[in-house]
């Protein structure tokens, strides 16, 4: 009897964690699609393809790796696709998708070899902690930005947003989320999303969309980008430079994120990495940008999820969401942002693991922490951390703290910046 009750409670925890996580990351459906539209892709198809890729990827990592992580298209990777591959290098999106496919295949090969395990063991713990803290600050910054509490500024880069109805409602929802969380109210994140959405709709700073034209049948038949890659540029140096840069980006972003969430079990780590590899191939075949383990996975973990069931549930919800896309897209970012801010704060607690007296550890960790949010790029922050760790310890004569994979990673990051 007691075992049945425990199983029921665990199932309930996994399900509620999945619901909260799904609503936290569902923004990717529209954000990713709009960014890909800027690269010339049809919006209808990118919305559908993004949703399907999210669904399949989450089910794969949940069933195969059995970890509470989710895989979705990376915003940084999509920005790289649209603004670097297409707009900066002059590739059309068909040629860009070929870059994504080749990069995904290389990623998959890496994940199937001992190289992934070697890379994981080569990363010093202090850098892993720095990556976790940096991701936390990054999440908090994104949350504050999406709430319009922090806005861009020509004079100081960022500043406090103007005091208006939007800012007032954002602060009210954030305060609500903080109070619910501090009081340890069950399902505080889900309650925040529901109440925050209601407040936003009532105050008319957000509105509900009932437009189902985005999922018309023609988007599935005549107007899609599946299997539409072109290898016309494969003989160009720029093609392989972009493949290298994108591979470095997705490999080390996923290494950092998976490590950041404490997936220390060797088998689960390897399977998580392979799941991302499979997901990247699927995304390129369906005609969208690269995928990553999402930082929003922290929502699932901090909501009590312990295994892959929550990931499978999230995948199913993505699939079902095809029927409710107008509702999902209508959820305002200010109802989701407080969750990112709170989880970011929780990830900052890893700072207690840092040895502040050892400058050869602390300085690279510090650089990693500040560069992730300030460059708005996890991979770039990691790169600066790896490079500074190798250089500082090499100059200080701490050769024993270095290893060949770690030095190779630093060199690869330097090369990626040179050829970017």
């Amino acid at each position: 009897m007691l075992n049945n009750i425990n199983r029921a409670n665990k199932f309930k925890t996994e399900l509620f964690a999945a619901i909260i996580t799904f609503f936290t990351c569902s923004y990717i459906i529209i954000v990713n699609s709009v960014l890909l539209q800027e690269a010339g892709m049809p919006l209808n198809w990118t919305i559908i393809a993004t949703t399907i890729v999210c669904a399949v990827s989450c089910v794969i990592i949940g069933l195969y790796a059995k970890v509470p992580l989710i895989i979705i298209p990376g915003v940084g990777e999509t920005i790289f696709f649209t603004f670097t591959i297409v707009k900066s290098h002059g590739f059309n999106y068909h040629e860009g998708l070929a870059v994504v496919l080749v990069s995904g295949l290389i990623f998959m090969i890496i994940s199937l070899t001992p190289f992934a395990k070697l890379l994981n063991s080569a990363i010093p713990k202090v850098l892993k902690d720095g990556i976790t803290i940096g991701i936390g600050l990054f999440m908090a910054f994104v949350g504050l930005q999406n709430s319009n509490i922090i806005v861009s500024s020509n004079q100081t880069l960022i500043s406090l947003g103007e005091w208006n109805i939007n800012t007032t409602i954002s602060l009210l929802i954030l305060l609500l989320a903080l109070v619910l969380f501090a009081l340890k109210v069950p399902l505080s994140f889900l309650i925040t999303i529901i109440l925050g959405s209601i407040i936003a709709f009532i105050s008319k700073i957000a509105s509900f969309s009932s437009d189902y034209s985005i999922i018309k049948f023609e988007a599935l038949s005549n107007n899609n980008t599946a299997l539409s890659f072109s290898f016309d540029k494969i003989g160009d140096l720029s093609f392989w430079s972009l493949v290298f840069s994108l591979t470095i980006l997705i490999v080390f972003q996923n290494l950092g994120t998976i490590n950041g969430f404490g997936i220390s079990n060797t088998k689960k780590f390897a399977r998580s990495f392979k799941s991302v590899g499979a997901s990247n191939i699927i995304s390129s075949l369906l005609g969208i940008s690269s995928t990553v383990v999402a930082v929003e996975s922290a929502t699932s973990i901090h909501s009590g999820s312990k295994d892959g069931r929550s990931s499978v549930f999230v995948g199913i919800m993505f699939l079902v969401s095809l029927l409710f896309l107008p509702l999902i897209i209508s959820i305002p970012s200010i109802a989701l942002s407080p969750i990112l801010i709170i989880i970011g704060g929780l990830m900052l607690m890893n700072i207690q693991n840092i040895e502040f007296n050892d400058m050869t550890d602390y300085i690279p960790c510090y650089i990693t922490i500040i560069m992730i949010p300030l460059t708005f790029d996890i991979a770039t922050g990691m790169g600066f951390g790896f490079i500074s760790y190798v250089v500082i310890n090499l100059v200080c004569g701490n050769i024993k703290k270095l290893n060949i994979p770690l030095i190779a990673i630093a060199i690869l990051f330097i090369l990626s910046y040179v050829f970017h």
Side-chain angles (χ1 to χ4, degrees), residues 130-369:
I131 291 165
T132 302
I133 298 164
I135 292 173
L137 283 173
F138 183 45
M139 289 182 68
F141 181 72
V142 170
L144 290 167
Q145 189 180 53
N146 290 347
S147 296
N148 289 320
I149 295 173
I150 286 178
V151 297
S152 61
S153 167
N154 292 330
Q155 287 75 34
T156 59
L157 296 182
I158 58 170
S159 65
L160 188 66
E162 292 183 12
W163 195 265
N164 53 35
I165 183 64
N166 286 36
T167 309
T168 304
I169 297 299
S170 295
L171 289 170
L172 177 64
I173 297 172
L174 175 59
L175 181 61
L176 171 67
L178 291 170
V179 170
L180 291 173
F181 183 78
L183 293 175
K184 298 180 180 180
V185 175
L187 306 178
S188 60
F189 288 165
L190 184 58
I191 294 171
T192 298
I193 293 171
I194 294 172
L195 293 181
S197 298
I198 292 172
I199 293 171
F201 290 146
I202 291 175
S203 60
K204 296 183 179 180
I205 63 173
S207 59
F208 173 73
S209 171
S210 58
D211 181 13
Y212 276 84
S213 64
I214 57 174
I215 51 176
K216 282 183 179 179
F217 179 74
E218 50 262 35
L220 295 171
S221 54
N222 303 323
N223 199 25
N224 68 71
T225 59
L227 302 175
S228 66
F229 23 74
S230 166
F231 291 95
D232 289 346
K233 300 274 191 179
I234 198 167
D236 295 355
L237 179 62
S238 60
F239 179 90
W240 293 104
S241 172
L242 289 168
V243 167
F244 174 75
S245 297
L246 181 58
T247 304
I248 286 289
L249 179 64
I250 59 177
V251 166
F252 290 106
Q253 178 158 331
N254 283 290
L255 272 175
T257 308
I258 295 171
N259 273 306
F261 291 133
I263 307 299
S264 55
N265 181 286
T266 305
K267 182 178 179 181
K268 288 186 176 182
F269 180 91
R271 290 193 168 193
S272 298
F273 215 60
K274 291 173 186 175
S275 299
V276 179
S279 172
N280 271 282
I281 293 174
I282 293 168
S283 69
S284 66
L285 294 176
L286 283 177
I288 63 168
S289 49
S290 305
T291 56
V292 296
V293 172
V295 292
E296 288 84 1
S297 300
T299 308
S300 181
I301 295 169
H302 288 294
S303 296
S305 179
K306 303 294 184 185
D307 55 46
R309 283 179 294 177
S310 63
S311 303
V312 175
F313 292 149
V314 171
I316 294 170
M317 290 175 196
F318 267 113
L319 204 57
V320 173
S321 73
L322 285 169
L323 303 175
F324 304 97
L325 280 180
L327 175 62
I328 301 300
I329 295 171
S330 295
I331 296 174
S333 60
I334 61 171
L336 303 171
S337 299
I339 297 169
L340 297 180
I341 296 169
I342 292 172
I343 293 172
L346 293 174
M347 295 175 74
L348 256 67
M349 294 173 70
N350 276 49
I351 201 167
Q352 60 191 323
N353 301 330
I354 298 173
E355 181 54 64
F356 291 99
N357 295 322
D358 186 347
M359 289 294 110
T360 60
D361 273 355
Y362 170 67
I363 292 174
C365 180
Y366 165 69
I367 290 172
T368 305
I369 291 170

Side-chain angles (χ1 to χ4, degrees), residues 3-19 187 303-307 309-310 312-313 316-317:
N3 287 337
N4 290 336
I5 294 173
N6 287 335
R7 278 197 294 269
N9 287 335
K10 288 179 181 177
F11 179 85
K12 189 189 300 182
T13 299
E14 297 292 331
L15 180 59
F16 283 135
I19 294 171
L187 306 178
S303 296
S305 179
K306 303 294 184 185
D307 55 46
R309 283 179 294 177
S310 63
V312 175
F313 292 149
I316 294 170
M317 290 175 196

Side-chain angles (χ1 to χ4, degrees), residues 83-141:
F83 294 98
T84 301
I85 297 177
V86 176
K87 295 196 173 184
S88 294
H89 285 261
F91 284 38
N92 59 48
Y93 72 78
H94 301 286
E95 295 160 344
L97 288 173
V99 173
V100 174
L101 176 63
V102 174
S103 176
L105 289 171
I106 295 172
F107 185 99
M108 182 55 113
I109 292 170
I110 291 173
S111 71
L112 293 173
T113 65
F115 191 55
K117 181 181 176 182
L118 183 67
L119 284 174
N120 185 41
S121 60
I123 302 173
K125 186 179 183 303
V126 67
L127 286 182
K128 293 179 181 178
D129 285 327
I131 291 165
T132 302
I133 298 164
I135 292 173
L137 283 173
F138 183 45
M139 289 182 68
F141 181 72

